[in-house]
Amino acid sequence: MAETLNILESARLEIKKACNLLKLNPACYDILKDPLRVMETSLPVKMDDGSTKVFKAYRSAHNWALGPCKGGVRFHENVSLDEVKALSMWMSLKAGLLNIPYGGGKGGICTDPSELSDREIENLSRAYIRSIYKYLGERIDIPAPDMNTNGKVMSYFLDEYEKLNGEKQDIGTFTGKPLVLGGSLGRNEATGFGVVVATKFACQKLDINLADAKIGIQGFGNVGSFSLKYLLDNGAKIQYLCIHDRKSPSGLSGLYSKEGFSYEQLSAYYQDHKTLVDFPNAVKISDTKFWSEKFDILIPAAIENSITSEIAKKIQVKLIVEGANGPITPEADEILKDNNVVIIPDILANSGGVLVSYYEWVQNQYGYYWDIKEVQEKQEKDMQTALKRVFETADKYQVSIREAAYITAIKRIDEAMQLRGWY
């Protein structure tokens, strides 16, 4: 049987499993298996050479039983409708886990932004907002940065939205904004910081000494880089990285540093070269060797379906903390479960981004802003509360941490939908 590589099907499998374990009304799964609203648009954009190019774009609002939809917008050449739907589902679950008043949303534009000029990215960003602005708002749907988008893109989004919305200063309609436009300190690093909060919590549960642990990280984007930074700040040593490599047949290669990597050196090199392939202070290894290393902790922080069943059979690790969304296929997850690997799932481990986006939204409503120490203290406290709740649920139902996370989130969404009279 073919491996389940469609992340929408993967998300539905886990939701169905949790609904069955909880013996919920069948209507709960019927509602949660699809978004409540999906938009697919075509964006004609004038390019620098005078030509017009048409981009396919999407926005999914999965469920608003708990509150307005919330989720990022990614620019990537492989963006698809199914991907956006699945990511919006996971956002609903993250909000449910964290007890914050949000539903899940997600958006994307099918493009390789590295091939666009700054002006073309601005034109594309504004075109996207023009196509969906009627369905956005502080109490409706709140976009944020995601893969290949950032505060600059959010600034274009905000400016275009306000022009179309009667010049109302509803700055809370977007999060992940630059500080001068109402952004929050700690937002850019929030997901990676949260991955480390989850890692530390799990290490205490599993009696793993973080300072002595052998750790591998896949990816050096926003999540992977800040995960590495905060692990180093907490006394860990990182010797292994798996990176994007266009020249490799698999699209990946590995780096090994006996002395351990420096966040500052990696960041500076990446800033200059936009890749780590020829990073000078490391030995290049194959991605196969990376996956075959015996780790205490493995953090996949790149893209979905990175760990297939074939790779899972090679993995020797005690703890996996999912920095990326959907990095492990369902078949690989079963193999790892059978091998007694503890997995902190994406909807829990990488939920720091939506949590600090919520803080930004709150600060925008009050016009009062917190320093980074206060933001990160709140984030750590709220994530630890969610982690404790999930581990307790796993003990109660005698299920995996992933299954417990889905159960915890869906119970809350189910209660809200019932109270609203949806079934």
Side-chain angles (χ1 to χ4, degrees), residues 9-160:
E9 291 307 314
S10 298
R12 284 172 173 164
L13 281 171
E14 294 296 338
I15 291 171
K16 181 70 170 174
K17 194 185 301 181
C19 288
N20 289 343
L21 281 167
L22 290 167
K23 299 179 180 178
L24 299 179
N25 187 315
C28 181
Y29 174 71
D30 287 341
I31 293 172
L32 294 180
K33 70 181 176 66
D34 286 302
L36 294 175
R37 179 177 63 238
V38 177
M39 289 175 281
E40 179 178 336
T41 64
S42 295
L43 311 176
V45 175
K46 184 68 68 72
M47 308 303 282
D48 289 347
D49 64 3
S51 67
T52 295
K53 186 174 179 179
V54 180
F55 298 84
K56 188 62 70 178
Y58 310 94
R59 184 70 186 175
S60 173
H62 174 245
N63 191 284
W64 46 75
L66 292 172
C69 294
K70 181 80 191 73
V73 178
R74 58 178 50 185
F75 290 179
H76 194 273
E77 60 268 31
N78 294 327
V79 164
S80 69
L81 181 58
D82 280 358
E83 177 189 52
V84 170
K85 285 181 177 180
L87 293 169
S88 70
M89 290 178 182
W90 285 327
M91 289 300 295
S92 289
L93 298 170
K94 289 175 189 180
L97 275 176
L98 294 165
N99 279 344
I100 56 178
Y102 282 154
K106 208 73 176 184
I109 302 176
C110 192
T111 182
D112 181 353
S114 68
E115 296 179 353
L116 303 179
S117 70
D118 287 348
R119 184 189 296 274
E120 289 167 340
I121 287 174
E122 178 179 352
N123 290 342
L124 179 62
S125 300
R126 292 181 182 277
Y128 181 66
I129 295 303
R130 287 196 298 272
S131 72
I132 64 170
Y133 80 96
K134 293 179 182 178
Y135 299 94
L136 302 180
E138 292 177 326
R139 300 292 190 275
I140 303 170
D141 189 356
I142 305 161
D146 198 89
M147 190 183 297
N148 296 325
T149 56
N150 51 29
K152 191 172 185 179
V153 170
M154 294 307 109
S155 302
Y156 298 144
F157 282 0
L158 176 64
D159 188 66
E160 191 67 20

Side-chain angles (χ1 to χ4, degrees), residues 144-345:
D146 198 89
M147 190 183 297
N148 296 325
T149 56
N150 51 29
K152 191 172 185 179
V153 170
M154 294 307 109
S155 302
Y156 298 144
F157 282 0
L158 176 64
D159 188 66
E160 191 67 20
Y161 177 77
E162 289 181 349
K163 287 177 181 177
L164 296 163
N165 200 36
E167 305 293 344
K168 295 178 187 173
Q169 290 283 318
D170 292 338
I171 62 172
T173 301
F174 303 90
T175 61
K177 304 181 296 292
L179 295 179
V180 72
L181 292 179
S184 174
L185 290 166
R187 172 61 186 88
N188 193 41
E189 51 267 75
T191 307
F193 180 82
V195 167
V196 177
V197 171
T199 302
K200 290 192 297 179
F201 185 93
C203 283
Q204 291 174 350
K205 291 286 184 179
L206 301 176
D207 198 26
I208 296 173
N209 186 332
L210 190 62
D212 297 330
K214 185 176 179 181
I215 303 171
I217 298 177
Q218 182 210 11
F220 196 74
N222 176 274
V223 181
S225 62
F226 282 115
S227 295
L228 184 143
K229 177 186 187 301
Y230 286 107
L231 282 169
L232 295 179
D233 287 351
N234 279 275
K237 182 178 182 180
I238 314 297
Q239 295 176 299
Y240 291 87
L241 274 178
C242 184
I243 59 169
H244 180 57
D245 184 351
R246 291 179 184 269
K247 297 178 182 178
S248 168
S250 66
L252 300 171
S253 62
L255 297 175
Y256 168 73
S257 171
K258 184 178 179 181
E259 295 76 23
F261 289 105
S262 157
Y263 169 76
E264 288 74 20
Q265 288 178 3
L266 287 167
S267 296
Y269 188 89
Y270 190 84
Q271 183 71 27
D272 291 341
H273 299 86
K274 308 305 179 188
T275 179
L276 293 176
V277 171
D278 297 314
F279 183 67
N281 300 325
V283 176
K284 192 172 181 179
I285 60 175
S286 69
D287 59 306
T288 301
K289 180 168 174 54
F290 173 86
W291 294 121
S292 302
E293 283 294 329
K294 191 173 182 179
F295 293 120
D296 294 298
I297 303 166
L298 177 62
I299 301 175
I303 59 173
E304 60 267 11
N305 296 327
S306 294
I307 299 177
T308 60
S309 55
E310 183 181 345
I311 291 173
K313 292 171 186 174
K314 301 173 185 174
I315 286 176
Q316 305 173 74
V317 66
K318 297 176 183 176
L319 170 66
I320 294 178
V321 183
E322 293 186 332
N325 288 308
I328 302 174
T329 69
E331 291 80 4
D333 193 62
E334 287 300 318
I335 292 169
L336 294 166
K337 186 177 174 183
D338 290 343
N339 291 336
N340 297 314
V341 177
V342 175
I343 300 172
I344 308 299

